[in-house]
Amino acid sequence: MPKAPDIKSGQVIELDNAQYIVKSITVSSPTARGAATLYKMLLNELKERRKKEVTFKGDDVIQLADFQQISVSYLFSDADSHTFMDTEDYSQHLLFSDDLGDQLMWIHEGMEGIRGLVVDDRLVAIELPQSVVKKITETSPSIKGASASARTKPAILEGGVTVQVPEYIGPGDVIKVNTETEKYMSRVSSAT
């Protein structure tokens, strides 16, 4: 069984006879001699949808829940529900906006490369790809002659995400963005 430092966001753990998905982990290293590193985890209970905050020491053993990981693609949204399709057996699964949280701003219809976490034959969470390609919908015009290492400016992407981009990037450009850090990675194409 893994110890607290081995647990990552998005994993499903078992605690007090309930299953929780790990939403975020904050690591704090006390400065006192002999003090243990603490791992503060924000958890979402899968059945009742309750949130819980738990702190573990570095040598605490954590029970992983039984779950299955599948490859899914995002099909469409209908009000507050979002439909994903298993890319192997084509079965459809629903998640609600509350389940997705900040991940909603990254997904778009037809998006592939998403990992789904299934517990008891039910999709409970998704794991986004490390990077996504998005079109810039709004930013100040590009500056001719600006270098890649020059200053940055804010740009609003499809889905409403705001990221900092180099000054030579303009409206309509398509860029690659890291979904974890929300940082610009590269330009994929430019507007014609």
Side-chain angles (χ1 to χ4, degrees):
M1 283 195 282
K3 292 191 176 185
D6 304 322
I7 301 298
K8 307 279 183 246
S9 289
Q11 286 187 301
V12 181
I13 64 170
E14 200 152 310
L15 190 66
D16 303 326
N17 296 322
Q19 295 172 329
Y20 296 87
I21 185 162
V22 179
K23 285 307 218 180
S24 67
I25 302 171
T26 307
V27 181
S28 60
S29 299
T31 55
R33 278 190 166 169
T37 300
L38 300 176
Y39 296 84
K40 186 185 219 178
M41 298 184 190
L42 180 62
L43 310 173
N44 280 2
E45 204 264 333
L46 296 178
K47 288 187 179 159
E48 302 297 321
R49 308 228 184 265
R50 292 181 302 226
K51 293 183 185 208
K52 184 174 191 169
E53 202 170 76
V54 181
T55 302
F56 296 100
K57 291 182 182 171
D59 56 351
D60 287 346
V61 176
I62 298 174
Q63 170 77 38
L64 288 178
D66 285 333
F67 67 93
Q68 177 186 7
Q69 223 176 25
I70 60 172
S71 180
V72 296
S73 61
Y74 181 61
L75 293 181
F76 60 90
S77 66
D78 182 20
D80 195 34
S81 65
H82 303 272
T83 304
F84 294 85
M85 181 181 69
D86 185 328
T87 57
E88 284 189 25
D89 67 8
Y90 306 110
S91 60
Q92 294 185 5
H93 304 272
L94 278 181
L95 282 178
F96 294 95
S97 295
D98 288 346
D99 300 329
L100 295 169
D102 290 342
Q103 293 176 315
L104 258 180
M105 59 189 176
W106 296 108
I107 59 177
H108 55 271
E109 286 186 16
M111 183 175 180
E112 296 183 353
I114 303 169
R115 305 291 301 158
L117 297 175
V118 177
V119 175
D120 297 331
D121 295 325
R122 192 179 124 231
L123 183 69
V124 295
I126 62 165
E127 209 174 278
L128 293 170
Q130 187 171 356
S131 64
V132 295
V133 174
K134 290 277 192 183
K135 184 176 184 178
I136 295 176
T137 57
E138 191 179 318
T139 189
S140 57
S142 59
I143 299 173
K144 292 219 184 263
S147 69
S149 61
R151 295 179 308 211
T152 61
K153 62 184 179 180
I156 300 173
L157 310 178
E158 297 169 311
V161 183
T162 301
V163 297
Q164 291 293 319
V165 298
E167 287 184 326
Y168 66 87
I169 302 290
D173 284 352
V174 179
I175 62 171
K176 185 186 272 191
V177 182
N178 184 309
T179 55
E180 283 184 34
T181 62
E182 297 185 14
K183 293 198 178 191
Y184 166 87
M185 293 172 74
S186 65
R187 178 165 59 180
V188 176
S189 67
S190 47
T192 53

CSV table of all heavy atoms in Angstrom, one decimal, residues 145-166:
chain,number,residue,atom,x,y,z
A,145,GLY,N,7.8,41.9,-34.8
A,145,GLY,CA,9.2,42.0,-34.3
A,145,GLY,C,9.4,41.6,-32.9
A,145,GLY,O,10.5,41.7,-32.4
A,146,ALA,N,8.3,41.3,-32.2
A,146,ALA,CA,8.4,40.9,-30.7
A,146,ALA,C,9.1,39.6,-30.7
A,146,ALA,O,8.8,38.7,-31.5
A,146,ALA,CB,7.1,40.9,-30.1
A,147,SER,N,10.0,39.4,-29.8
A,147,SER,CA,10.8,38.1,-29.7
A,147,SER,C,10.0,37.2,-28.7
A,147,SER,O,9.2,37.6,-27.9
A,147,SER,CB,12.2,38.3,-29.2
A,147,SER,OG,12.2,38.8,-27.9
A,148,ALA,N,10.4,35.9,-28.8
A,148,ALA,CA,9.8,34.9,-28.0
A,148,ALA,C,10.1,35.1,-26.5
A,148,ALA,O,9.3,34.6,-25.6
A,148,ALA,CB,10.2,33.5,-28.4
A,149,SER,N,11.2,35.7,-26.2
A,149,SER,CA,11.6,35.9,-24.8
A,149,SER,C,11.1,37.2,-24.2
A,149,SER,O,11.5,37.6,-23.1
A,149,SER,CB,13.1,35.7,-24.6
A,149,SER,OG,13.7,36.7,-25.4
A,150,ALA,N,10.4,38.0,-25.0
A,150,ALA,CA,10.0,39.3,-24.6
A,150,ALA,C,8.8,39.2,-23.5
A,150,ALA,O,8.5,38.1,-23.1
A,150,ALA,CB,9.5,40.1,-25.8
A,151,ARG,N,8.3,40.4,-23.3
A,151,ARG,CA,7.2,40.4,-22.3
A,151,ARG,C,5.9,39.6,-22.7
A,151,ARG,O,5.8,39.3,-23.9
A,151,ARG,CB,6.8,41.9,-22.1
A,151,ARG,CG,7.9,42.7,-21.5
A,151,ARG,CD,7.5,44.1,-21.3
A,151,ARG,NE,6.9,44.6,-22.6
A,151,ARG,CZ,7.0,45.8,-23.0
A,151,ARG,NH1,7.6,46.7,-22.3
A,151,ARG,NH2,6.5,46.2,-24.2
A,152,THR,N,5.1,39.4,-21.8
A,152,THR,CA,3.8,38.7,-22.0
A,152,THR,C,2.6,39.6,-21.9
A,152,THR,O,2.7,40.7,-21.3
A,152,THR,CB,3.7,37.5,-21.1
A,152,THR,OG1,3.6,37.9,-19.8
A,152,THR,CG2,4.8,36.5,-21.3
A,153,LYS,N,1.5,39.1,-22.3
A,153,LYS,CA,0.2,39.8,-22.2
A,153,LYS,C,-0.9,38.8,-22.0
A,153,LYS,O,-0.7,37.6,-22.3
A,153,LYS,CB,-0.1,40.6,-23.5
A,153,LYS,CG,-0.2,39.7,-24.7
A,153,LYS,CD,-0.4,40.5,-26.0
A,153,LYS,CE,-0.5,39.5,-27.2
A,153,LYS,NZ,-0.7,40.2,-28.4
A,154,PRO,N,-2.0,39.2,-21.3
A,154,PRO,CA,-3.1,38.2,-21.1
A,154,PRO,C,-3.9,37.9,-22.4
A,154,PRO,O,-4.0,38.8,-23.2
A,154,PRO,CB,-4.0,39.0,-20.1
A,154,PRO,CG,-3.7,40.4,-20.3
A,154,PRO,CD,-2.3,40.5,-20.8
A,155,ALA,N,-4.3,36.7,-22.5
A,155,ALA,CA,-5.1,36.2,-23.6
A,155,ALA,C,-6.2,35.3,-23.1
A,155,ALA,O,-6.0,34.5,-22.3
A,155,ALA,CB,-4.2,35.5,-24.6
A,156,ILE,N,-7.4,35.6,-23.6
A,156,ILE,CA,-8.6,34.7,-23.2
A,156,ILE,C,-8.8,33.7,-24.3
A,156,ILE,O,-8.8,34.0,-25.5
A,156,ILE,CB,-9.9,35.6,-23.1
A,156,ILE,CG1,-9.6,36.7,-22.0
A,156,ILE,CG2,-11.1,34.7,-22.7
A,156,ILE,CD1,-10.8,37.7,-21.9
A,157,LEU,N,-8.9,32.4,-23.8
A,157,LEU,CA,-9.0,31.3,-24.7
A,157,LEU,C,-10.4,30.8,-24.8
A,157,LEU,O,-11.3,31.2,-24.0
A,157,LEU,CB,-8.1,30.1,-24.3
A,157,LEU,CG,-6.7,30.4,-23.9
A,157,LEU,CD1,-5.9,29.2,-23.4
A,157,LEU,CD2,-6.0,31.0,-25.2
A,158,GLU,N,-10.7,29.9,-25.8
A,158,GLU,CA,-12.1,29.3,-25.8
A,158,GLU,C,-12.3,28.6,-24.5
A,158,GLU,O,-11.4,28.0,-23.9
A,158,GLU,CB,-12.1,28.2,-26.9
A,158,GLU,CG,-11.9,28.7,-28.3
A,158,GLU,CD,-11.6,27.6,-29.3
A,158,GLU,OE1,-10.8,26.7,-29.0
A,158,GLU,OE2,-12.3,27.6,-30.3
A,159,GLY,N,-13.5,28.7,-23.9
A,159,GLY,CA,-13.7,28.2,-22.6
A,159,GLY,C,-13.6,29.2,-21.5
A,159,GLY,O,-13.9,28.9,-20.3
A,160,GLY,N,-13.0,30.3,-21.8
A,160,GLY,CA,-12.9,31.4,-20.8
A,160,GLY,C,-11.6,31.4,-20.0
A,160,GLY,O,-11.4,32.2,-19.1
A,161,VAL,N,-10.6,30.5,-20.3
A,161,VAL,CA,-9.4,30.5,-19.5
A,161,VAL,C,-8.5,31.7,-20.0
A,161,VAL,O,-8.4,32.0,-21.2
A,161,VAL,CB,-8.6,29.2,-19.8
A,161,VAL,CG1,-7.3,29.2,-19.0
A,161,VAL,CG2,-9.4,28.0,-19.6
A,162,THR,N,-7.9,32.4,-19.0
A,162,THR,CA,-7.0,33.5,-19.3
A,162,THR,C,-5.6,33.0,-19.0
A,162,THR,O,-5.3,32.5,-17.9
A,162,THR,CB,-7.3,34.7,-18.5
A,162,THR,OG1,-8.6,35.1,-18.8
A,162,THR,CG2,-6.3,35.9,-18.8
A,163,VAL,N,-4.7,33.1,-20.0
A,163,VAL,CA,-3.3,32.7,-19.8
A,163,VAL,C,-2.4,33.9,-20.3
A,163,VAL,O,-2.8,34.7,-21.1
A,163,VAL,CB,-2.9,31.4,-20.6
A,163,VAL,CG1,-3.7,30.2,-20.0
A,163,VAL,CG2,-3.1,31.6,-22.0
A,164,GLN,N,-1.1,33.9,-19.9
A,164,GLN,CA,-0.2,34.9,-20.3
A,164,GLN,C,0.5,34.3,-21.6
A,164,GLN,O,1.0,33.1,-21.6
A,164,GLN,CB,0.9,35.1,-19.2
A,164,GLN,CG,0.3,35.9,-18.0
A,164,GLN,CD,-0.1,37.3,-18.4
A,164,GLN,OE1,0.6,38.0,-19.1
A,164,GLN,NE2,-1.2,37.7,-17.8
A,165,VAL,N,0.6,35.1,-22.6
A,165,VAL,CA,1.2,34.7,-23.9
A,165,VAL,C,2.2,35.7,-24.3
A,165,VAL,O,2.1,36.9,-23.9
A,165,VAL,CB,0.2,34.5,-25.0
A,165,VAL,CG1,-0.8,33.4,-24.6
A,165,VAL,CG2,-0.6,35.7,-25.3
A,166,PRO,N,3.2,35.3,-25.1
A,166,PRO,CA,4.2,36.3,-25.7
A,166,PRO,C,3.5,37.3,-26.5
A,166,PRO,O,2.4,37.1,-27.1
A,166,PRO,CB,5.1,35.4,-26.5
A,166,PRO,CG,5.0,34.0,-26.0
A,166,PRO,CD,3.6,33.9,-25.5
